[in-house]
Amino acid sequence: ILNVFPNPSTGIITLNFAGKNEHISIEVINGLGQLIYTENINDCQNDCSKTIDMSSFKKGIYLFRILTDGNIHTKKILLTN
């Protein structure tokens, strides 16, 4: 289970991952389809979270693509800085 909040956001995004995940890959894609942020997390034991500061990004819609142990999750976030 994956939660991404708040939505809409002014810049600080929190991702919560429920359960155990050996490897998590986070990608953020802007409205033009460009990959603007990527990060890998290894050994997420049980519930873990990640905070991403997007306050320097332009306002608009961003797509979060999260890969967790073979599963792909996508979430749209509206940034209203």
Side-chain angles (χ1 to χ4, degrees):
I1 297 174
L2 170 70
N3 291 314
V4 180
F5 61 92
N7 191 14
S9 175
T10 57
I12 303 298
I13 304 291
T14 301
L15 294 85
N16 283 339
F17 306 95
K20 181 179 178 183
N21 295 286
E22 294 291 325
H23 179 77
I24 299 169
S25 177
I26 302 167
E27 298 175 343
V28 180
I29 300 160
N30 67 12
L32 299 174
Q34 300 167 322
L35 181 65
I36 58 168
Y37 178 89
T38 185
E39 183 171 350
N40 293 311
I41 301 171
N42 295 313
D43 279 338
C44 176
Q45 300 298 322
N46 295 319
D47 299 336
C48 62
S49 64
K50 172 67 182 167
T51 301
I52 299 174
D53 184 359
M54 296 180 63
S55 59
S56 64
F57 295 5
K58 293 181 181 178
K59 65 181 177 179
I61 296 175
Y62 291 85
L63 181 67
F64 278 72
R65 185 168 43 204
I66 297 102
L67 293 81
T68 59
D69 294 336
N71 298 311
I72 300 173
H73 308 273
T74 56
K75 301 284 184 175
K76 286 184 183 177
I77 293 289
L78 176 61
L79 191 61
T80 60
N81 54 354

